[in-house]
Amino acid sequence: MSLRIIFMGTPEFSVPTLAALAGAGHEIVAVYTQPPRPGGRRGLDLQKSPVHQAAELLGIPVLTPVNFKDEADRQTFREFDADVAVVVAYGLLLPEAILTGTRLGCYNGHASLLPRWRGAAPIQRAIMAGDHETGMMVMKMDKGLDTGPVALTKAVQIGEAMTAGELHDKLMQVGATLMKEAIGKLEADDLPLTAQPEEGVVYAQKISKTETRIDFSKTAREVHDHIRGLSPFPGAWFELEIAGKPERVKVLNSECMDAEGPAGTVLDDTLTIACGEGAVRPTRLQRAGGKALDLADFLRGTPVVAGTRVG
């Protein structure tokens, strides 16, 4: 017997889980995703989400309600007569009518080791905080923000140089495998649920543009973690004078260096930049409107001499 599943997700991160559940023989009766958004080169074309596109390739009906305030949308959800809803980065807080709108409830794939990093940006926040470990969890959803009981957990190590993009790609594959296992256990009535501990709750606030600028007064380790936590998007940046004009330069990768100097000062001809303690060297950079370049290629086109101040 397979389960009748409603799948709810939006970005690329969600697609492997949708594919894994469909491949396991479950009946995906509907996919819910965020409505098409303006995109394309000039931002004029409506772009379907990655989940929307994947569902169409699988021949699954797609629904894109703005929210579930309309009773007609709630009724449509119930009428699918699904056994369970699977939620992975859908992008909407679900009302109780949806949480209880299937026979077995809603199960969420969340990219952290709950209760640490509840909320919108757990991947980035874990790296920015210098965590050495994170993971994927499957939890049964309740009315709170990532507060429901946990079913399955898979820990993942965060390497010293791992970026948010690299961790994202690792976790989305781990999450797909874990959710497939969880739904298999749910089908067999063998899925345990454990309440989250009361201690250790940390919230992963959405990344704000105001925090993307690099603060070189912090330690080299903190700056390095900030850079890799925001790579590749939205990207941490500093301001550098190029051809007499200040320009934003994104840093996509970096390394910590054993050097000292006034914070924000370039210490040598290989762009080692002093921090409040220690120094960092960007290893991959991107000028505004340009392509990402390794350090040597960047410096060939944009030499930066020792003593230059960046900010």
Side-chain angles (χ1 to χ4, degrees):
M1 293 290 292
S2 63
L3 293 181
R4 289 174 56 83
I5 297 173
I6 293 174
F7 185 84
M8 310 179 82
T10 298
E12 178 191 9
F13 188 84
S14 316
V15 172
T17 302
L18 172 60
L21 294 174
H26 297 292
E27 183 182 1
I28 315 296
V29 296
V31 163
Y32 280 76
T33 189
Q34 290 286 295
R37 307 291 190 198
R41 250 182 113 176
R42 293 185 294 171
L44 299 177
D45 301 324
L46 290 178
Q47 304 284 313
K48 295 176 179 178
S49 75
V51 165
H52 194 145
Q53 296 174 52
E56 288 186 336
L57 289 175
L58 291 168
I60 303 170
V62 178
L63 294 92
T64 59
V66 175
N67 51 49
F68 288 96
K69 293 181 180 178
D70 192 324
E71 178 56 33
D73 289 327
R74 302 182 184 202
Q75 183 61 26
T76 297
F77 186 92
R78 290 190 291 266
E79 287 176 353
F80 281 112
D81 192 28
D83 294 309
V84 64
V86 171
V87 184
V88 182
Y90 179 37
L92 280 181
L93 285 174
L94 300 181
E96 188 169 10
I98 300 302
L99 295 175
T100 59
T102 63
R103 182 172 65 88
L104 298 171
C106 296
Y107 284 81
N108 175 235
H110 183 76
S112 82
L113 298 178
L114 294 167
R116 185 167 177 81
W117 303 125
R118 292 175 178 171
I123 295 175
Q124 294 96 328
R125 294 296 178 190
I127 293 178
M128 292 168 74
D131 291 0
H132 298 294
E133 183 181 65
T134 187
M136 286 297 303
M137 281 187 158
V138 173
M139 52 166 275
K140 187 171 185 180
M141 299 175 71
D142 60 18
K143 290 186 291 184
L145 178 62
D146 300 326
T147 56
V150 173
L152 294 180
T153 301
K154 178 67 174 179
V156 170
Q157 298 303 304
I158 303 176
E160 291 291 316
M162 181 178 275
T163 65
E166 293 165 343
L167 183 57
H168 167 282
D169 292 352
K170 174 72 174 177
L171 289 173
M172 75 177 181
Q173 298 300 333
V174 170
T177 301
L178 197 68
M179 185 62 78
K180 178 182 173 182
E181 180 184 352
I183 296 303
K185 286 179 174 288
L186 184 65
E187 181 184 2
D189 194 24
D190 185 32
L191 186 64
L193 292 173
T194 304
Q196 293 185 37
E198 297 292 330
E199 296 181 353
V201 175
V202 183
Y203 286 94
Q205 302 294 337
K206 185 177 179 180
I207 302 296
S208 166
K209 289 182 180 179
T210 61
E211 61 182 313
T212 56
R213 185 169 188 157
I214 299 170
D215 180 359
F216 289 104
S217 70
K218 295 184 176 181
T219 69
R221 184 77 238 178
E222 290 171 326
V223 171
H224 175 65
D225 292 342
H226 180 79
I227 288 167
R228 62 197 186 97
L230 297 178
S231 177
F233 182 83
W237 59 276
F238 61 81
E239 203 166 67
L240 176 67
E241 189 171 298
I242 301 175
K245 294 182 179 179
E247 184 176 318
R248 287 189 181 190
V249 178
K250 282 187 180 182
V251 183
L252 302 175
N253 294 96
S254 62
E255 58 186 351
C256 294
M257 306 297 293
D258 185 14
E260 298 289 343
T265 302
V266 176
L267 300 177
D268 56 27
D269 59 2
T270 61
L271 202 57
T272 301
I273 304 171
C275 299
E277 179 183 311
V280 295
R281 177 184 291 149
T283 56
R284 191 162 180 81
L285 307 97
Q286 184 176 17
R287 289 179 59 178
K291 63 180 181 179
L293 298 171
D294 289 336
L295 176 61
D297 293 330
F298 177 86
L299 290 176
R300 255 191 294 277
T302 311
V304 183
V305 299
T308 299
R309 294 280 298 176
V310 301

